[in-house]
Amino acid sequence: MTDSLKHRAISILKNNDRGSHTIPSGHLYPHQWAWDSGFAAIGWAYIDIQRACLEIESILDGQWEDGRIPHIQFHNPTPEYFPGPASWGHEKSSSISNPPVWTIAAERLHQLGADPARIKSWLPRIEASHLFLGTQRDPLGWKCIATCHPWENGQDNCPAWDAPMEAIDPEEAPPFQRVDTKKVKDASQRPTEIQYNRYMTLVHRFTKNGFQIDTTADYDPFFTTMVILAEEALARLAKDLGVPSQAGERAKELRAGLAEHLWSDELGRYRYYDARSKRYGENATSGSLAPVLLGADMPGQARMLESLRTDFSAPFGLPTVVPQSPDFDPVCYWRGPTWVNMNWLFSSVLGQDLVDSTLALVEKSGFWEYFHPHTGEGLGADDFTWTAALVLDLLASRDAN
Ligand code: 9WN
């Protein structure tokens, strides 16, 4: 099994390779997405470490002057994906950011033997990308990270955005034609028309507003956790490579902000917070348990682990929404399905069982974008880059154990 999985993963990465970056899937996503590319770099490290470094460099090459790493770079504009540059008001990229997986990947590449001098040259740009998130994605000064669009944290139509989105006028966006629903086998695996209209209203407002976050901001425990993991990876890299950095201090402040503002002792998990309505969102998503990845000094560690092992238990990996919740939809993306990148992240606390079940799932169903957590059916796009890349890392971690 291991050899054929490995060969299939390698051939998917090679097919999705566009020279300096890897597209998530030839069929549905023909551009470069920042967090996808971070995961791809980890996979490339098992094939060609120089190519892995190139992947990180191509993410950093898209950086704006204000430090933001855009969530999409349009190297070759094509009508095969919507929304393209015209909607974003920027010729080469989108204008929102993404979880800083590029930093987590940089540390992994360092561990896997990449040239330290090359990694060192990335650190100022990585630091700037974190400073952007820490200052421009914290409108209330809470020392937590908010997202200005559901696409920014990569978990697009996660139910946490349902309430904040109710206030967004779906008619405000200029007319458009979406492409995604024509490309999957069943349109119910994608967001509804009204959701998509609201996404586009937000894109329209954001580009008109000089790309600055306004009160449409959702504080997010998943995004905050990802930034903390990235800050701590940067702090370790900076120390190792002899580069000054404030990343460790920023991570401490974020840990405190996350515990103070988003932890709920009553629920036993972290909440979202809509800065416009000033209301907390109590959605039971795997993202609401992501602070479990930060270790025992965050509140709720034992309760969150227990909840992951019981409420979130499913035959095929970790569902993104708790199956008992009314928000749960096992086939609609980010509203219930299992994702390999989430399994990969959570395997650091759930251990070998999740590694093994994730590998078995991909072996059984293929390298899909996401999976039905009860049947294991592959959903969304096939031959998906981060599924392939992270399978390579999971195989290596299994072999090491
Ligand atoms: C919008 C590329 C991206 C991922 C996201 C996933 C999906 C885009 C879309 O695909 O989002 O950015 O068109 O639905 O939700 O996590 O980065 O794989």
Side-chain angles (χ1 to χ4, degrees), residues 291-304:
V292 77
L293 304 174
L294 299 173
D297 62 339
M298 290 303 288
Q301 200 66 8
R303 287 167 73 190
M304 289 192 289

Side-chain angles (χ1 to χ4, degrees), residues 24 29 33 35-36 71 81 151 154 156 190 333-334 384 386:
Y29 304 116
W33 269 259
W35 80 320
D36 298 61
H71 98 298
Y81 183 79
W151 287 337
D156 304 19
R190 298 285 306 175
Y333 86 161
W334 297 113
F384 195 65
W386 82 40

Side-chain angles (χ1 to χ4, degrees), residues 142-144 224 227-232 235 245-260 294 297-298:
W142 274 11
K143 297 291 174 200
C144 294
T224 306
V227 174
I228 295 172
L229 291 174
E231 289 285 31
E232 291 175 351
S245 167
Q246 297 300 310
E249 286 72 19
R250 290 194 301 268
K252 277 189 201 132
E253 289 179 351
L254 287 169
R255 280 175 175 265
L258 178 59
E260 179 184 346
L294 299 173
D297 62 339
M298 290 303 288

Side-chain angles (χ1 to χ4, degrees), residues 194-237:
I194 192 160
Q195 276 169 327
Y196 220 86
N197 286 354
R198 288 182 160 130
Y199 294 158
M200 292 313 297
T201 294
L202 279 183
V203 168
H204 181 59
R205 283 190 195 167
F206 194 63
T207 51
K208 273 202 324 195
N209 187 28
F211 313 114
Q212 302 305 315
I213 197 164
D214 57 17
T215 52
T216 307
D218 204 32
Y219 277 91
D220 179 333
F222 174 69
F223 205 99
T224 306
T225 299
M226 294 301 282
V227 174
I228 295 172
L229 291 174
E231 289 285 31
E232 291 175 351
L234 174 58
R236 287 187 294 269
L237 277 174

